[in-house]
Amino acid sequence: MTDSTPSPRKAAIYLRISQDREMDGLAIERQREQCEALATYRQWEVVQTYVDQSKSATDRTKVRPAYDRMVSDYKAGAFTAIVCYDLDRLTRQPRQLEDWIDAAELRGLALVTANGDADLSTDGGRMYARIKAAVARAEMERKGARQSAAQRQRAMQGRAPKGMRPLGYATNGDVIPDEAEAVRAIYALFTRPAHPESLRSLARALSGTQDIEGITPRPRHSHVVSKERAQRRIAEGKEPRTIEPDGPWSPSTVLGILRNPRYARMSTYTPKTAQADGGRRRSWRAQILRDDAGEPIRGQWEAIVDDETWWRAQDILDDKDRVTNTSGSTKRKHLGSGLYRCGVCGGKVTGAPRGYGCAGHITRTGPAIDDYVTRVISARLSQPDALRKRKTADDTPETAGISAAIAEQRGRILRAQRDYDDEVIEGRDLKRIREAAEARIAELETERLLQARGSTLAPILGVDDPAAAFQEATLEVRREVIDTLATVTLRPHPRGRKGFDPDSVEIQWR
């Protein structure tokens, strides 16, 4: 005589908590006890328990490893019943709920909750589950809207955002001096015209595997932050969480530092609807909050880098040629790019493949012009009164303030150019902003020259042969000397005349 007693149904228990701040597992254990008691009451055999601790089910893009493993095991036939504490512990996504309802209707899955509110084996239970999921979804969206509004309001007021602190800033927005120096060094080395450093080389220098002057190796930032959090918990009498291990810096972390508008004291807010720009641009454009005049909202914290430096970094990162540049070089290749002026409109010319150009006005061959300018400047430097043979400090508060104001105006021009490229403003707006900013820059630069010659001229000032020193100096120093001594204007090349015409290059001494 055979035993006709049916074998018990095989069941899985799923446990989840969105955020376990104490990480002591007590909340999960309370769910486990009630789910196991329900399985015993139903006379089901628990074959597997799946646990997602501190895993949200609200965001469908978030990975829940235990949940995904449970879905795979169910499809493989490992069990035919699921027990969870509450329906929203299993899922907060209506689409996922419908998958489980289909499994209950079509494949006989038994899904019950320990609080007794849901039983997908009945039509009433399935109706209740759908209603509850819709209500939970609506409440989640309302909560998200309230949180987003609060975050945006905080950003509009220029208050430091919550969350993980960036390198260089404390959680309250105060500057951490040694970290801020590291941030400044990263920007300076990445944006310097002569031999700029790459993301990879900067990451190696921070990790201590490559020597770069100006960069001091330091622990990975995420490791430092996790240690700080552990220390705070100990001070509060709580058990510390696991400290993230130290390791090498990654280029992506350096990229994140260079992309962060907060370092230039720009308040940021990232809406959930913001889409990444693609490529290396990420979503930094959508992060910068602006006032009614289109100017960035300034944060209530100290800037670590100036506007111009931050926008220069964005120019380099957004340069499409840089992506395919196998040599890794992003340095400026033209002596007069952004320095010489157009003889038609007065604007600054840009570097072209063979020289200089101003759209619709002039196109000039570069080497002959640069040679001529170099010879004229060298001759001027040979004269005793060209530059005083003494160094004048430029680190006074007055000069520093002037430099900051110039950088802000240059950053304004760069922002306007970006807005024009993105079709946020029209050409006439770009022209108006550029002309106003350049006029102010000219005033400030004159004032700065009266204050000091600048430390970048140190290789030229005080030497016996300034002309020779100028010819052997770096591109940046030569540009600074030219900008200090003269204004170079390029006229259209005379038609019908072959060869270089010195009269087409006007040099006005300051």
Side-chain angles (χ1 to χ4, degrees):
M1 182 176 180
T2 60
D3 185 3
S4 60
T5 303
S7 58
R9 183 187 285 265
K10 294 183 178 180
I13 292 177
Y14 180 73
L15 312 172
R16 183 186 67 82
I17 184 170
S18 298
Q19 190 173 30
D20 190 351
R21 296 186 181 275
E22 302 303 321
M23 293 300 288
D24 53 14
L26 296 179
I28 288 292
E29 286 306 312
R30 289 192 292 270
Q31 292 184 28
R32 187 192 304 271
E33 290 173 2
Q34 297 189 46
C35 289
E36 289 179 347
L38 178 58
T40 300
Y41 173 77
R42 294 266 183 159
Q43 296 184 347
W44 290 348
E45 177 189 355
V46 177
V47 295
Q48 184 67 45
T49 299
Y50 303 89
V51 180
D52 277 323
Q53 191 167 7
S54 286
K55 299 292 183 182
S56 173
T58 300
D59 189 346
R60 60 178 175 271
T61 65
K62 298 294 184 182
V63 175
R64 288 191 284 161
Y67 177 86
D68 294 340
R69 191 167 64 254
M70 179 180 69
V71 172
S72 297
D73 290 348
Y74 170 70
K75 291 179 178 179
F79 52 84
T80 59
I82 295 177
V83 183
C84 55
Y85 176 74
D86 191 281
L87 193 61
D88 62 8
R89 295 303 88 195
L90 179 67
T91 182
R92 286 180 178 269
Q93 301 298 324
R95 292 179 182 177
Q96 291 180 347
L97 176 62
E98 289 298 328
D99 290 338
W100 292 118
I101 290 177
D102 287 345
E105 289 182 320
L106 303 178
R107 299 182 58 185
L109 170 71
L111 195 156
V112 296
T113 59
N115 63 7
D117 286 344
D119 183 349
L120 298 190
S121 63
T122 67
D123 57 352
R126 291 189 291 272
M127 180 185 70
Y128 175 80
R130 289 187 172 104
I131 294 173
K132 184 174 182 180
V135 172
R137 182 72 182 181
E139 175 57 29
M140 176 196 70
E141 291 175 353
R142 284 193 295 269
K143 180 180 178 182
R146 290 194 300 269
Q147 291 175 340
S148 296
Q151 291 170 0
R152 180 176 175 79
Q153 182 185 41
R154 184 182 182 90
M156 290 296 291
Q157 294 171 350
R159 299 165 62 190
K162 297 180 179 180
M164 180 174 174
R165 68 173 186 84
L167 181 70
Y169 289 113
T171 52
N172 63 354
D174 291 344
V175 172
I176 301 175
D178 67 306
E179 292 187 0
E181 285 303 315
V183 173
R184 293 189 188 100
I186 290 171
Y187 274 88
L189 292 167
F190 184 75
T191 60
R192 66 182 178 186
H195 308 295
E197 299 294 339
S198 66
L199 299 177
R200 192 174 301 277
S201 65
L202 290 170
R204 288 196 294 259
L206 290 166
S207 304
T209 58
Q210 179 176 338
D211 292 331
I212 296 179
E213 185 177 357
I215 294 287
T216 301
R218 58 188 311 111
R220 192 166 57 184
H221 184 55
S222 56
H223 169 71
V224 173
V225 171
S226 66
K227 284 181 63 177
E228 292 172 348
R229 290 174 175 171
Q231 291 168 358
R232 284 197 297 268
R233 289 182 65 84
I234 292 174
E236 295 169 358
K238 301 176 181 178
E239 286 292 325
R241 298 179 182 176
T242 302
I243 296 176
E244 183 174 327
D246 193 9
W249 285 66
S250 68
S252 62
T253 302
V254 178
L255 174 63
I257 293 172
L258 291 168
R259 283 296 196 193
N260 194 340
R262 285 188 61 190
Y263 290 119
R265 206 167 67 84
M266 288 185 274
S267 190
T268 61
Y269 169 73
T270 307
K272 291 183 178 180
T273 56
Q275 298 295 324
D277 284 343
R280 295 178 183 242
R281 297 185 179 219
R282 303 296 171 96
S283 59
W284 63 267
R285 290 180 193 268
Q287 294 180 21
I288 301 174
L289 282 176
R290 298 172 183 263
D291 59 21
D292 294 338
E295 292 295 311
I297 300 292
R298 295 297 175 176
Q300 299 178 23
W301 59 83
E302 180 184 343
I304 292 180
V305 299
D306 58 51
D307 277 25
E308 182 185 11
T309 299
W310 191 83
W311 284 100
R312 290 294 181 199
Q314 309 319 302
D315 277 344
I316 295 172
L317 291 170
D318 290 345
D319 186 358
K320 295 180 179 180
D321 292 336
R322 179 177 175 273
V323 178
T324 56
N325 183 1
T326 57
S327 68
S329 173
T330 57
K331 65 181 181 180
R332 193 190 296 273
K333 297 179 176 63
H334 299 86
L335 180 64
S337 178
L339 180 61
Y340 301 162
R341 292 190 173 275
C342 171
V344 177
C345 68
K348 293 181 178 180
V349 301
T350 59
R354 296 184 179 181
Y356 303 106
C358 180
H361 296 152
I362 62 171
T363 300
R364 299 295 305 273
T365 302
I369 294 174
D370 291 344
D371 289 344
Y372 174 71
V373 172
T374 299
R375 290 198 308 270
V376 174
I377 296 295
S378 297
R380 174 63 174 153
L381 288 171
S382 300
Q383 300 176 15
D385 63 337
L387 292 173
R388 296 179 182 272
K389 292 188 176 181
R390 60 183 177 86
K391 295 182 182 180
T392 305
D394 70 345
D395 57 355
T396 63
E398 294 80 5
T399 306
I402 293 171
S403 298
I406 292 173
E408 183 175 351
Q409 292 297 323
R410 288 175 175 165
R412 187 183 179 194
I413 294 173
L414 291 170
R415 288 199 311 270
Q417 183 62 57
R418 292 303 186 88
D419 289 345
Y420 175 73
D421 292 342
D422 292 342
E423 299 182 354
V424 175
I425 63 175
E426 297 183 2
R428 61 176 179 270
D429 298 315
L430 173 61
K431 184 176 183 293
R432 173 180 52 80
I433 294 171
R434 179 187 288 147
E435 288 177 349
E438 287 183 344
R440 181 56 181 155
I441 288 171
E443 295 175 0
L444 291 167
E445 285 180 336
T446 301
E447 186 177 350
R448 181 170 62 179
L449 284 172
L450 293 175
Q451 293 282 343
R453 287 296 183 184
S455 60
T456 52
L457 300 184
I460 308 299
L461 293 168
V463 300
D464 294 332
D465 190 351
F470 166 73
Q471 294 177 17
E472 296 173 1
T474 63
L475 181 66
E476 180 64 21
V477 171
R478 284 183 285 142
R479 287 171 53 83
E480 185 72 18
V481 171
I482 295 171
D483 196 31
T484 300
L485 292 179
T487 298
V488 179
T489 302
L490 306 184
R491 305 293 181 186
H493 191 277
R495 292 186 177 182
R497 182 175 299 181
K498 296 182 179 180
F500 173 69
D501 181 5
D503 292 337
S504 65
V505 178
E506 179 183 342
I507 299 179
Q508 292 181 323
W509 303 110
R510 296 183 187 275

